[in-house]
Amino acid sequence: MMAVVAARELADGEVVFVGIGLPNLACNLARRTHAPNLVLIYESGAVGATPSRLPVSIGDPALVTGSLMVCGMADVFQLFLQNGRIEVGFLGGAQVDRHGNINTTVIGPYARPKVRLPGSGGAAEIAIHAHRILIVSKLSPRAFPERVDFLTSPGQRVAKVITDKGVLERDEASGDLVLAGLYPGIDATEVRAGVGWKLESRARLNQLDPPTTTELHLLREVLDPQRLYLKS
Amino acid sequence: MMAVVAARELADGEVVFVGIGLPNLACNLARRTHAPNLVLIYESGAVGATPSRLPVSIGDPALVTGSLMVCGMADVFQLFLQNGRIEVGFLGGAQVDRHGNINTTVIGPYARPKVRLPGSGGAAEIAIHAHRILIVSKLSPRAFPERVDFLTSPGQRVAKVITDKGVLERDEASGDLVLAGLYPGIDATEVRAGVGWKLESRARLNQLDPPTTTELHLLREVLDPQRLYLKS
Amino acid sequence: MQDAVARYVRDGDVVVIEGFTHLISFAAGHEIIRQHRRDLTLCRLTPDLIYDQMIAAGCAKKLVFSWAGNPGVGSLHAFRRAVEGQTLEIEEYSHFGMVARFSAGAARLPFWTLRDYAGTDLPRANPRIKSVTCPYTGEELATVPALNPDVTIVHAQRADAQGNTQIWGLLGVQKEAAFASQRVIVVVEELVDERVVRSDPNRTLIPATIVSAVVVEPWGAHPSYAQGYYDRDNEFYIGWDTISRESAVLSDYLDEFVYGVRDRAEYMQKQPRLAERLKAGEQRCAGVNYGF
Amino acid sequence: MQDAVARYVRDGDVVVIEGFTHLISFAAGHEIIRQHRRDLTLCRLTPDLIYDQMIAAGCAKKLVFSWAGNPGVGSLHAFRRAVEGQTLEIEEYSHFGMVARFSAGAARLPFWTLRDYAGTDLPRANPRIKSVTCPYTGEELATVPALNPDVTIVHAQRADAQGNTQIWGLLGVQKEAAFASQRVIVVVEELVDERVVRSDPNRTLIPATIVSAVVVEPWGAHPSYAQGYYDRDNEFYIGWDTISRESAVLSDYLDEFVYGVRDRAEYMQKQPRLAERLKAGEQRCAGVNYGF
């Protein structure tokens, strides 16, 4: 369901900066349904990739073979990202707070971390330069604290947070994430239980359509038949 | 003779930033005599070129075909020149002054030029970054004024000025160009007559050997049979 | 070409036709002259004959450049007349300065830092050359401001219909100029299938995502050249010295070869032996394996 | 490889083994472990398994990085143990910050300017992230200091005997890291004749003029990959999670596959089915014409 909702967020022809896992699945699902001209850019330097297998890493050789352009990483960050050429960026994180700020650096204090996470990678600059950020993350009070332990990627450009139970949006007035849509059969209280602050709701909540048979078929039989990323 | 003297200034294995005309002839003469491993870099981006014909421009396609590397101009200026990877740079100019400063910009005041020359091109940064600058220029009081009308390329790194009558060097103590060597049959007064300031001499003047028959053969029959650059 | 210029090049624009000796779009320059564009700010490292023609034709208000000569020949006479007669504004850098301006523009930074200009008169002639202090070492370094053209025109060997563009041989600052620009017109020798581009993605210099229009114009770079397609027309460069020395002769040249033809195809038909004389020989490299 | 590491990698050096997923020189990392180098400052965007191994083997005093994980799998456990146990110094940037540090080093500038870090905690965690004021617009922009390693090791598909090195597929920051470095070791799948390099000069990423040593080491990037030669060994990356979770198991791995072999050839002989499983398929592009 998360991959399906994420896919539906992408408009045809958009330039998307994409990571591995669910975002990659979502982009490829969108390309095979309503957005055949989506341009996928990976921070590894592959532009317009059409991978013949599910890439296991953003540096997978399958992203190179048959792509439209392969450039160095200085070009990726300067000419594409900083230049403002990326419309959508996907991010995930160990923690997402009420402002949409993301932490992928440490749990606990920086100097004496309880858990050392991988760090920013390209996430800081993606959050700053992509026009619209989509976060994909499963709900839990730990993952959605009121305030992140470390602010790796600022939340200003976060458009939506696609969770396993519903969709949050950033409310422009308050700058807070608010509940905007619910998946079939899910109640707002279930979403609130997975969030570490008092989650407000939009006046009118979207009821999101369940995956179509086409979407399910593509995901399960074509895009990820080995269920590498489709665990739920 | 100028091409021969310039060629002899180059040591085997050196990395040379080379322009068109006599410097190019000199480099190719050196490559065929004592310096087969000279690496020629052109500001157009051709590295290790071995042109099959005499290039008419520094962007000649013959510099590309069969070269070791072709890179963009941002790389030429940042990764090679500014990085300090260029050992020798050749420059010429409408005016060279007593400090070795070069003018390739204007004769007369900048705002109301008597003669508008092409401008710096890469000359300003070549003069600043190449470890050793060789100037090739014919003597005349106009071409060697006491002070250039416009300082395009600073003279600090000028090692020698190779003229049609003798060789000047930069004296480290005074910072002035001084007479260092004479061509066969030329008198010091002839050189002084071509210079617009009181030219000092080294205590001991070099008497430069005339071109060998090999050198002359290579220049006239192999490298520039149509006498594009060998006018004198 | 007519449509692309009509649509994307406007009076008063900051226009860049780049290409260092290689891949200079004379075809685009001629079309701009034919469409009587005015008050352009023309930017280019080496104005070359094409800007000399555009200056002579009255398209240019200002020239931004780093080396204004006829390479391997001598002066650009229309340029010299305009500067010595003070009818053309100029803004002058060195090559590195111009490259840095495009690099800043392409990276969407307001300036670029370089070690340059110490001891030269260039910053006095051009107050836009400034300096910055390194926050680590305290050193003073030169800066130039970003250059973000309204439109950049790039000639290339090949592109697909979307504008994914591949270039080999000298690369100049084509990539930086294109990424720095609001609009990009790509002019190619050959339109190829997307599969050709995808078969060798490392050769792609400009992606379709930044391209406004693709124009197919074989021989569109003459008298400049396209590696693998045709040689540089050195005779033309030498001949330009004579043509451009007198305004009247230059004017006759424009009448015959620019205003007097409708497009590049007619330009080539007028000179039937050109193609034969300049057509490139064959020196094809082997491909590499992109398999995994 | 033994000679190159003995000669060019010294205790206390700032060492870079670059390659973004692609072309990571595991062979060089293993040789550095075998030669018991100590107190190294290891720099790399993505430390990957090779730095995890070098950290576990005690080579590293400090790690400079931007993303320290096992790509597509999870954590680098030796790294995590060292950081959580505070036995390893770290200096942390984002990817763009590391790319910018190499770019500055390669251009021999003391710093690089970027639009980044506004609103993040990274500058608080790393005081070397500073800022500069644009001399044109007055904007405040982030800066990072240049990174100039003592030695950079680059794996590549092919080079000639002098070190003119060609790479295709993902390019990472190989060029910038090499140009930034005092010494450069190039490790290649294949040594080719200079004529092969000269037949396609646009593919050359690193020129011989900056190369200290060329080492021929087929399969030297395994479990990373070399486009056109062999695939990434994803099974190994997944398996590393188990191996590295326990110090003792990791230690056994090093004993068997690093200390227990003399060189990469022996490493490959120990795993006879590896080559068969990972050998690249054929997807060769056509060549282009460099004639004129």
Side-chain angles (χ1 to χ4, degrees), chain C residues 95-151:
Chain C
H95 278 350
F96 191 9
M98 283 297 285
V99 169
R101 293 198 66 194
F102 281 121
S103 297
R108 204 66 65 180
L109 286 176
F111 72 100
W112 202 257
T113 306
L114 60 166
R115 289 186 200 275
D116 210 342
Y117 305 124
T120 77
D121 283 341
L122 281 157
R124 268 203 299 142
N126 181 354
R128 302 197 76 197
I129 299 173
K130 297 189 177 183
S131 70
V132 77
T133 306
C134 171
Y136 303 94
T137 63
E139 283 170 273
E140 194 87 338
L141 295 145
T143 60
V144 291
L147 177 51
N148 288 107
D150 293 306
V151 57

Side-chain angles (χ1 to χ4, degrees), chain B residues 36-141:
Chain B
N37 302 307
L38 211 60
V39 179
L40 310 190
I41 301 190
Y42 293 80
E43 69 186 7
S44 54
V47 177
T50 53
S52 61
R53 69 179 181 199
L54 198 61
V56 187
S57 124
I58 45 173
D60 197 289
L63 297 174
V64 166
T65 318
S67 71
L68 287 170
M69 175 174 183
V70 173
C71 61
M73 292 183 76
D75 286 353
V76 170
F77 287 106
Q78 295 188 125
L79 306 189
F80 285 95
L81 199 55
Q82 184 168 264
N83 189 298
R85 304 285 183 173
I86 305 294
E87 286 158 309
V88 183
F90 274 104
L91 292 175
Q95 295 182 327
V96 178
D97 75 12
R98 68 184 297 161
H99 304 301
N101 297 321
I102 302 175
N103 174 16
T104 52
T105 303
V106 284
I107 305 295
Y110 184 78
R112 294 175 186 278
K114 216 184 308 173
V115 183
R116 175 64 227 199
L117 304 165
S120 163
E125 41 268 4
I126 293 169
I128 288 169
H129 291 294
H131 304 177
R132 201 163 92 242
I133 297 293
L134 301 175
I135 298 178
V136 181
S137 187
K138 281 194 186 179
L139 283 173
S140 86

Side-chain angles (χ1 to χ4, degrees), chain C residues 29-286:
Chain C
H30 286 183
E31 186 58 33
I32 290 170
I33 293 173
R34 271 194 293 271
Q35 294 193 21
H36 299 285
R37 286 292 173 285
R38 287 295 175 266
D39 295 322
L40 304 180
T41 295
L42 298 177
C43 312
R44 223 182 111 74
L45 273 68
T46 57
D48 204 87
L49 310 195
I50 187 59
Y51 279 13
D52 212 32
Q53 294 173 10
M54 292 169 81
I55 291 166
C59 304
K61 181 184 69 180
K62 183 173 177 181
L63 182 72
V64 181
F65 72 103
S66 46
W67 194 84
N70 181 342
V73 179
S75 293
L76 293 176
H77 297 288
F79 158 78
R80 270 188 62 180
R81 276 193 296 275
V83 173
E84 290 166 23
Q86 299 186 53
T87 60
L88 180 74
E89 285 175 59
I90 60 168
E91 186 178 318
E92 182 169 7
Y93 298 84
S94 63
H95 278 350
F96 191 9
M98 283 297 285
V99 169
R101 293 198 66 194
F102 281 121
S103 297
R108 204 66 65 180
L109 286 176
F111 72 100
W112 202 257
T113 306
L114 60 166
R115 289 186 200 275
D116 210 342
Y117 305 124
T120 77
D121 283 341
L122 281 157
R124 268 203 299 142
N126 181 354
R128 302 197 76 197
I129 299 173
K130 297 189 177 183
S131 70
V132 77
T133 306
C134 171
Y136 303 94
T137 63
E139 283 170 273
E140 194 87 338
L141 295 145
T143 60
V144 291
L147 177 51
N148 288 107
D150 293 306
V151 57
T152 287
I153 301 165
V154 164
H155 195 92
Q157 279 105 338
R158 66 190 188 195
D160 66 21
Q162 302 301 310
N164 294 295
T165 305
Q166 301 196 319
I167 290 180
W168 57 97
L170 298 180
L171 307 174
V173 291
Q174 307 273 43
K175 182 175 68 177
E176 291 81 0
F179 273 94
S181 198
Q182 295 299 312
R183 304 184 287 278
V184 176
I185 302 174
V186 167
V187 187
V188 291
E189 290 296 321
E190 239 182 302
L191 193 71
V192 294
D193 192 277
E194 191 181 300
R195 280 170 300 186
V196 173
V197 171
R198 288 190 183 275
S199 72
D200 195 359
N202 281 113
R203 285 215 202 275
T204 307
L205 207 68
I206 298 171
T209 48
I210 68 165
V211 172
S212 313
V214 181
V215 178
V216 186
E217 198 77 285
W219 293 88
H222 175 269
S224 162
Y225 73 99
Q227 192 96 31
Y229 290 78
Y230 45 90
D231 197 358
R232 186 168 186 268
D233 190 352
N234 291 319
E235 288 178 22
F236 187 92
Y237 275 83
I238 292 165
W240 184 252
D241 196 62
T242 314
I243 295 170
S244 61
R245 251 174 222 278
E246 301 289 336
S247 295
V249 184
L250 201 164
S251 206
D252 289 347
Y253 172 83
L254 294 181
D255 283 343
E256 183 171 0
F257 289 95
V258 182
Y259 298 116
V261 298
R262 256 191 324 197
D263 53 23
R264 184 84 345 190
E266 274 194 21
Y267 171 93
M268 289 305 292
Q269 277 155 24
K270 273 185 88 77
Q271 308 166 81
R273 270 182 314 214
L274 212 57
E276 187 190 322
R277 177 161 63 85
L278 297 171
K279 197 174 178 334
E282 190 71 17
Q283 231 165 313
R284 198 164 288 271
C285 66

Side-chain angles (χ1 to χ4, degrees), chain D residues 39-85:
Chain D
D39 295 322
L40 303 180
T41 295
L42 298 177
C43 313
R44 223 183 111 74
L45 272 68
T46 57
D48 204 87
L49 310 195
I50 187 58
Y51 279 13
D52 211 34
Q53 294 174 12
M54 292 169 79
I55 291 165
C59 304
K61 181 184 69 181
K62 183 173 178 178
L63 182 71
V64 181
F65 72 102
S66 45
W67 193 84
N70 182 343
V73 180
S75 293
L76 292 176
H77 296 289
F79 158 78
R80 271 188 63 178
R81 276 193 295 275
V83 173
E84 289 166 23

Side-chain angles (χ1 to χ4, degrees), chain A residues 20 43-46 53 56-66 70-75 77-78 81-82 101 104-105 110-125 128-129 147-154 156 229, chain D residues 20-22 45 65-69 71-75 79-80 83-84 86 90-97 99 103 112-122 124-126 168-173 176 225 227 230-232 234 238 283:
Chain A
I20 255 11
E43 69 186 7
S44 55
R53 68 179 182 200
V56 187
S57 124
I58 44 172
D60 196 290
L63 297 174
V64 166
T65 318
V70 173
C71 62
M73 291 182 76
D75 286 354
F77 288 107
Q78 296 187 125
L81 199 55
Q82 184 169 262
N101 298 321
T104 52
T105 304
Y110 185 78
R112 296 175 184 278
K114 218 183 306 173
V115 183
R116 175 65 228 198
L117 304 165
S120 162
E125 41 268 4
I128 289 169
H129 291 293
R147 210 190 147 94
V148 289
D149 290 5
F150 187 97
L151 203 169
T152 315
S153 312
Q156 300 100 286
Y229 300 110
Chain D
F20 193 82
T21 319
H22 188 210
L45 272 68
F65 72 102
S66 45
W67 193 84
V73 180
S75 293
F79 158 78
R80 271 188 63 178
V83 173
E84 289 166 23
Q86 300 186 51
I90 60 170
E91 185 178 319
E92 182 169 5
Y93 298 84
S94 63
H95 278 350
F96 190 11
V99 168
S103 297
W112 202 258
T113 305
L114 59 166
R115 289 187 200 274
D116 211 344
Y117 304 126
T120 79
D121 283 341
L122 281 157
R124 268 203 298 141
N126 181 355
W168 59 95
L170 298 179
L171 307 174
V173 291
E176 291 82 0
Y225 73 100
Q227 193 97 30
Y230 45 90
D231 197 358
R232 186 166 185 268
N234 290 320
I238 293 165
Q283 231 166 313

Side-chain angles (χ1 to χ4, degrees), chain A residues 110-189:
Chain A
Y110 185 78
R112 296 175 184 278
K114 218 183 306 173
V115 183
R116 175 65 228 198
L117 304 165
S120 162
E125 41 268 4
I126 293 168
I128 289 169
H129 291 293
H131 304 177
R132 201 163 92 242
I133 297 293
L134 301 176
I135 298 179
V136 180
S137 186
K138 281 194 186 179
L139 283 173
S140 86
R142 252 185 209 215
F144 286 80
E146 168 125 31
R147 210 190 147 94
V148 289
D149 290 5
F150 187 97
L151 203 169
T152 315
S153 312
Q156 300 100 286
R157 295 191 170 205
V158 170
K160 302 212 175 177
V161 182
I162 296 156
T163 76
D164 51 334
K165 298 200 164 68
V167 172
L168 315 184
E169 287 177 7
R170 198 158 185 277
D171 180 59
E172 279 313 310
S174 66
D176 280 3
L177 295 179
V178 298
L179 179 60
L182 287 170
Y183 295 174
I186 304 275
D187 192 77
T189 50

